[in-house]
Amino acid sequence: MTGEQFLNSLISLEGDITALDTQRVNLDGRRQSILDRARPSASPSGICVQTTPGSRTESLGIALADLPSPAELVEKINALQRRINPLIDLQIDRKQIALDIIGQMDATKRRTLIIQRYLNGVRWRTIADLLHHDEHYVRVELRREAVDEFSALFENNNQKQPIVDRTPMV
């Protein structure tokens, strides 16, 4: 793995974690949303009588029937969490390695670019504003300089202590 691939893997891991967590949150929120819409409001006794096909009550009943049972829902949420946790652990390990290498970099602007873009996921325009430079310069020239310096240090560090790729299969 090259230094640039290593940095890009940090961005990729963040995307994978976010996607899985969004699925987890959506599973929980979808069921609650349907249950909230199905709350009885027409009758003091809470009993609704279905009289016409295609009514709101019928469509909510169908939506609820399509949802997994609470036990299935909990299992799906737990399965997603079991997929997320190893990715978070890997991300933490890689960010620590990156921070150790960044600490060896000479130029402050290059360090800032690597930290903001690859560790914090900040947009190029924002980084350019922080560094008081044109976005094109930051995105192309300064990025190349920063990635080259990081890569050289990464390769040197990797020769001393090889980095094992523990990317979990998602």
Side-chain angles (χ1 to χ4, degrees):
M1 178 182 292
T2 68
E4 187 169 9
Q5 290 170 332
F6 181 82
L7 289 171
N8 287 328
S9 76
L10 292 172
I11 293 172
S12 178
L13 276 170
E14 184 66 35
D16 292 346
I17 291 167
T18 300
L20 288 170
D21 194 48
T22 299
Q23 285 180 4
R24 182 186 60 80
V25 169
N26 286 344
L27 272 175
D28 195 30
R30 183 173 165 231
R31 182 177 188 84
Q32 189 58 50
S33 172
I34 292 171
L35 288 171
D36 289 346
R37 285 186 290 146
R39 297 273 188 250
S41 59
S43 166
S45 67
I47 300 171
C48 295
V49 177
Q50 174 65 39
T51 57
T52 59
S55 72
R56 181 174 178 257
T57 306
E58 181 182 32
S59 65
L60 287 172
I62 291 169
L64 283 170
D66 288 343
L67 285 176
S69 70
E72 292 170 333
L73 183 65
V74 167
E75 180 49 41
K76 284 183 179 186
I77 290 171
N78 287 340
L80 284 168
Q81 195 63 51
R82 285 191 300 272
R83 289 174 61 195
I84 292 169
N85 288 342
L87 291 175
I88 291 172
D89 292 342
L90 178 62
Q91 183 186 43
I92 290 169
D93 292 347
R94 287 192 178 175
K95 281 187 175 185
Q96 185 57 57
I97 291 167
L99 285 170
D100 292 345
I101 293 170
I102 292 166
Q104 300 170 36
M105 293 175 71
D106 294 328
T108 303
K109 288 185 179 186
R110 293 178 195 160
R111 283 195 310 264
T112 301
L113 183 141
I114 297 291
I115 290 170
Q116 294 302 325
R117 179 64 184 170
Y118 296 98
L119 274 65
N120 297 338
V122 175
R123 295 174 186 246
W124 291 112
R125 174 79 250 155
T126 306
I127 297 169
D129 290 344
L130 285 170
L131 298 175
H132 306 291
H133 283 288
D134 176 71
E135 182 179 353
H136 178 77
Y137 168 75
V138 171
R139 185 188 296 248
V140 178
E141 295 175 43
L142 186 59
R143 177 190 162 276
R144 178 52 38 217
E145 293 171 12
V147 169
D148 286 349
E149 183 178 357
F150 181 91
S151 292
L153 292 166
F154 178 82
E155 299 300 326
N156 186 39
N157 188 52
N158 203 15
Q159 288 175 356
K160 294 177 188 172
Q161 193 173 22
I163 295 172
V164 178
D165 187 8
R166 301 181 321 168
T167 307
M169 300 306 282
V170 179

